[in-house]
Amino acid sequence: MVFLQIASVHKAYATPEGALVRALDDVTINVKNNEFLTLLGPSGCGKTTLLKCLAGFEDMDGGDIILEGKSLRSVPAHHRPLNTVFQNYALFPHMTVAQNIGYGLDVAGVKKPERDRRVGEALEMVGLEGFGGRRPAQLSGGQQQRVALARSLILKPRILLLDEPLSALDRKMRESMQIELKNLQHTVGITFIFVTHDQEEALAMSDRIAVFNHGRLQQIGNSTEIYDTPANDFVANFVGTSNLFAGKVIARNNGLLIVETANGRKLVGTGDRFAIGDSVKLVLRPEHLRITGPDEPASDHAISGTITDAVFVGSVVRVHVDVGFGRTAILHQKYDRRGLGSALNPGTAVTIVYSPEAAHIIPEGA
Amino acid sequence: MLKGLKEGKLWSILFNGYGLLFLTFLYMPLGLIVLYSFNSNPINMAVWTGFTLDWYATIFGGASVEGTFDAAFTESPERIFEVVKNSFLVAIFAASISTIIGTATAVALARYKFAGKRFYQALLILPMLVPDIVLGIALLIFFVGAGFELSLLTIIIGHVTFLSSYVFIVVSTRMAGMDTTLEQASADLGAGPLTTFWRVTLPQIMPGVIGGFLLGFIISLDDVVITYFIAGVGSQTLPLFILAMMRRGLRPQITALAVLILIFSFVVATIGLLLRNRKP
């Protein structure tokens, strides 16, 4: 049995101007038990709406959400075995940390001695021993975050929903919390459904990522699948940086396709579900492109061009190369502590090469 | 440059002067009534003849006015106590009932969607805008038509009709400023709507609820026009009583009574403001 079935869920809103916005358009996902699933997408893509439908704060227009064989459609939020960590944490300001964490047990009728013991354990789990008597306003953002986590996890939910919980933290804190959250998920053995617009965060934490745009599920898969074999333009551009070259398939050879671009350039790439004559796009990641001299022999995995910019960003140098027909390719050159040198001066004629397996082919306009 | 500075200074003096004049305009009448209440001159309170606490004493029964000029104009402490008691009874019951109705309505309108919500909202504010005299007559017609005998009860019912609007507005403001995710969090943690209201919503809007209660209390306490129409013979309130006293002329005892009401209102208003400024 599928643990959690999100079955063709629909949800539309009317804007104040009267236009209809499809927040969720036929979304279907099967979530596994103990999985760390991330819903990734830009703001307004529907990921938060889906989370609210799961938590029970929003009604669906169509479709169903089935947890362990039972439909949650008509189950109100306070009877669902799911708990939420809110973006702003939503800690009760008039209660102490311990009262906040014990709230769920309290309303469930758990007696005080038992409650106190479990609140103590929860505080320990998130490393906040001794903070029970404080008010949420006296805590830092990171500590409030832990209280919110403890408050939800103490109820041992079947699924923990997390709505961009790291977005209010600074970068360093966020990175350490990413690891902590991931470890916590392993320890407690609860399914996490995590919403974020930060693709790095998604890649770093998730077992699987579901990418959303305009209310539609674009692709679902593990981090490397999403990164290496994006399903379409949107995923290719939203997750990491991509160079896209449009063209038509003109030949097939052992899983390798030859794509002819608009200006007659022939490039090779990997893809198996295309026929000759299909309009496609070649996806090339910046780190898979390598600069060689202008005298590199012409081939189906080499592109000639002119450097327009070279930006030092720390670990790599980001190089922009004008490859003609109005396209700029972005590539990452390793930085070796010898300065940028004259090889990367704007105006230098170069050839970019890549290995044919690194070029992933997606359908045009998908 | 120098000229500009001078000009700026002149404006600043003018503005400060204006501010001072305005405050004087606002507070001079109140200052005068306080002053008069301590004037021992029983005939003409505008002529100062010496300091006295006699007028206050007559209210509390600490001084006798037997045989003096004011004897005919002074009310007994028992009578004053009775009307003050009436006023407080009305104010406490009217404000409490209005607070319950106004708060419940504000919460419902802020959290639930239903057909005709905006129309309903407008209807709620209307009683505040209807002229008092119209509301007074309307209530009187209603009570007489419905067979009510005019009493403290009719005053309470009458006050609730418009005080609920005041409480509704004060609590609505508070509801609008409240983070709705707190209620979602409460539901998420397993609390039903009622538990969420008592344990999360109400504590959050409490300053507004108390503020609404105090506002209703003060308005009820000094309402004259509406109360005038719906008060029975045996159910005089303090403002109506003072109005009746005034028919025999403005006597020093009235000024003392007025100052006491002023002090009381000031204390209540201060509590209200303090609560309003308190962070949730």
Side-chain angles (χ1 to χ4, degrees), chain B residues 167-190:
Chain B
V167 177
F168 165 72
I169 289 186
V170 174
V171 178
S172 285
T173 320
R174 193 81 195 177
M175 282 301 289
M178 188 187 156
D179 180 3
T180 52
T181 58
L182 291 180
E183 285 160 343
Q184 290 184 348
S186 173
D188 191 69
L189 295 165

Side-chain angles (χ1 to χ4, degrees), chain A residues 73-359:
Chain A
R73 233 192 127 87
S74 53
V75 179
H78 61 280
H79 287 145
R80 295 192 185 191
L82 294 83
N83 287 119
T84 309
V85 174
F86 291 81
Q87 186 166 13
N88 64 355
Y89 316 138
L91 299 178
F92 306 125
H94 56 287
M95 297 182 197
T96 63
V97 166
Q99 283 168 340
N100 263 284
I101 296 175
Y103 184 81
L105 294 177
D106 192 7
V107 298
V110 175
K111 293 278 172 292
K112 195 165 170 21
E114 162 79 356
R115 200 164 75 221
D116 286 349
R117 189 183 58 75
R118 283 173 64 182
V119 168
E121 284 172 9
L123 279 168
E124 199 179 325
M125 175 181 72
V126 295
L128 283 176
E129 299 99 324
F131 283 80
R134 298 209 194 173
R135 298 268 165 177
Q138 294 168 292
L139 303 182
S140 71
Q143 290 167 335
Q144 290 183 19
Q145 159 99 75
R146 286 155 202 264
V147 175
L149 271 170
R151 186 176 70 171
S152 293
L153 286 173
I154 198 171
L155 295 173
K156 303 197 166 70
R158 302 296 293 135
I159 300 172
L160 186 70
L161 306 169
L162 302 105
D163 186 9
E164 308 220 15
L166 306 183
S167 60
L169 305 177
D170 63 60
R171 193 187 168 87
K172 279 257 154 56
M173 189 71 197
R174 200 158 63 222
E175 281 171 5
S176 73
M177 276 308 285
Q178 285 172 9
I179 298 167
E180 223 174 290
L181 264 182
K182 183 82 193 145
N183 292 339
L184 190 66
Q185 194 247 337
H186 275 292
T187 320
V188 296
I190 290 173
T191 305
F192 278 30
I193 298 181
F194 184 93
V195 161
T196 185
H197 63 267
D198 183 334
Q199 42 106 7
E200 275 182 46
E201 199 164 279
L203 292 172
M205 299 169 77
S206 322
D207 293 327
R208 281 197 304 163
I209 300 172
V211 187
F212 281 81
N213 193 32
H214 296 312
R216 295 193 73 100
L217 178 63
Q218 304 289 319
Q219 186 177 4
I220 185 161
N222 67 33
S223 299
T224 51
E225 280 165 9
I226 296 281
Y227 189 82
D228 292 339
T229 57
N232 56 34
D233 277 28
F234 176 79
V235 179
N237 280 316
F238 193 77
V239 182
T241 309
S242 292
N243 297 296
L244 297 173
F245 295 104
K248 273 192 176 11
V249 177
I250 54 164
R252 299 170 52 123
N253 180 17
N254 291 337
L256 292 181
L257 301 178
I258 305 293
V259 175
E260 186 175 19
T261 65
N263 66 340
R265 216 182 282 250
K266 292 183 179 64
L267 296 171
V268 68
T270 318
D272 40 20
R273 29 186 200 114
F274 301 101
I276 287 171
D278 281 356
S279 292
V280 295
K281 278 182 181 170
L282 212 67
V283 183
L284 283 166
R285 297 289 187 184
E287 64 274 18
H288 292 146
L289 298 177
R290 191 165 50 82
I291 291 180
T292 62
D295 41 350
E296 169 83 18
S299 72
D300 58 10
H301 52 275
I303 311 166
S304 59
T306 316
I307 293 179
T308 57
D309 263 312
V311 186
F312 173 60
V313 292
S315 52
V316 294
V317 182
R318 190 184 300 141
V319 187
H320 293 237
V321 177
D322 180 2
V323 293
F325 64 103
R327 306 286 308 171
T328 300
I330 297 170
L331 59 91
H332 291 164
Q333 192 81 341
K334 269 210 190 86
Y335 178 64
D336 54 11
R337 294 191 58 122
R338 276 180 297 172
L340 297 189
S342 60
L344 296 178
N345 279 348
T348 311
V350 290
T351 299
I352 305 167
V353 293
Y354 62 90
S355 71
E357 303 79 48

Side-chain angles (χ1 to χ4, degrees), chain B residues 136-189:
Chain B
I137 295 169
L139 283 166
L140 177 64
I141 294 171
F142 169 74
F143 287 135
V144 171
F148 277 89
E149 195 175 323
L150 296 183
S151 63
L152 287 183
L153 180 68
T154 51
I155 304 179
I156 291 171
I157 297 173
H159 282 192
V160 167
T161 58
F162 64 97
L163 290 183
S164 300
S165 302
Y166 285 92
V167 177
F168 165 72
I169 289 186
V170 174
V171 178
S172 285
T173 320
R174 193 81 195 177
M175 282 301 289
M178 188 187 156
D179 180 3
T180 52
T181 58
L182 291 180
E183 285 160 343
Q184 290 184 348
S186 173
D188 191 69
L189 295 165

Side-chain angles (χ1 to χ4, degrees), chain B:
Chain B
M1 182 68 192
L2 197 68
K3 191 170 168 284
L5 197 73
K6 268 189 179 161
E7 224 169 68
K9 202 162 181 186
L10 185 69
W11 275 116
S12 142
I13 291 170
L14 280 175
F15 275 124
N16 282 325
Y18 166 76
L20 212 64
L21 272 176
F22 179 64
L23 281 180
T24 314
F25 171 72
L26 271 182
Y27 283 95
M28 181 115 104
L30 291 176
L32 272 181
I33 200 171
V34 174
L35 198 67
Y36 287 172
S37 73
F38 294 111
N39 187 355
S40 65
N41 187 342
I43 316 288
N44 184 352
M45 62 178 74
V47 178
W48 184 262
T49 57
F51 179 84
T52 181
L53 288 173
D54 281 358
W55 314 122
Y56 290 93
T58 62
I59 294 172
F60 296 105
S64 169
V65 286
E66 293 284 325
T68 67
F69 168 82
D70 250 40
F73 305 103
T74 308
E75 294 286 353
S76 69
E78 292 76 28
R79 183 84 184 99
I80 293 174
F81 177 75
E82 196 200 321
V83 295
V84 168
K85 192 188 76 185
N86 282 349
S87 269
F88 271 79
L89 270 176
V90 169
I92 286 170
F93 277 102
S96 304
I97 298 168
S98 306
T99 302
I100 295 168
I101 296 175
T103 303
T105 316
V107 171
L109 279 175
R111 288 295 175 263
Y112 297 98
K113 290 178 194 150
F114 53 88
K117 179 169 157 175
R118 303 202 97 177
F119 179 65
Y120 193 62
Q121 225 158 357
L123 277 186
L124 278 168
I125 299 173
L126 216 55
M128 288 170 59
L129 304 176
V130 172
D132 283 2
I133 194 148
V134 176
L135 194 57
I137 295 169
L139 283 166
L140 177 64
I141 294 171
F142 169 74
F143 287 135
V144 171
F148 277 89
E149 195 175 323
L150 296 183
S151 63
L152 287 183
L153 180 68
T154 51
I155 304 179
I156 291 171
I157 297 173
H159 282 192
V160 167
T161 58
F162 64 97
L163 290 183
S164 300
S165 302
Y166 285 92
V167 177
F168 165 72
I169 289 186
V170 174
V171 178
S172 285
T173 320
R174 193 81 195 177
M175 282 301 289
M178 188 187 156
D179 180 3
T180 52
T181 58
L182 291 180
E183 285 160 343
Q184 290 184 348
S186 173
D188 191 69
L189 295 165
L194 222 70
T195 311
T196 297
F197 175 76
W198 285 112
R199 300 196 48 180
V200 175
T201 315
L202 195 58
Q204 286 300 303
I205 60 172
M206 208 47 172
V209 174
I210 295 173
F213 174 85
L214 293 177
L215 183 69
F217 185 81
I218 287 292
I219 294 173
S220 167
L221 204 61
D222 78 1
D223 181 75
V224 176
V225 182
I226 295 165
T227 315
Y228 183 82
F229 286 94
I230 55 178
V233 186
S235 55
Q236 210 170 24
T237 61
L238 184 60
L240 292 184
F241 180 72
I242 293 177
L243 198 65
M245 282 172 83
M246 290 286 291
R247 296 220 177 90
R248 287 168 279 161
L250 179 60
R251 302 316 308 159
Q253 195 190 25
I254 297 179
T255 61
L257 207 48
V259 170
L260 290 176
I261 296 174
L262 183 70
I263 292 169
F264 182 77
S265 304
F266 183 74
V267 169
V268 174
T270 308
I271 297 171
L273 279 177
L274 283 177
L275 283 169
R276 209 176 117 176
N277 292 339
R278 207 181 60 174
K279 287 235 154 85

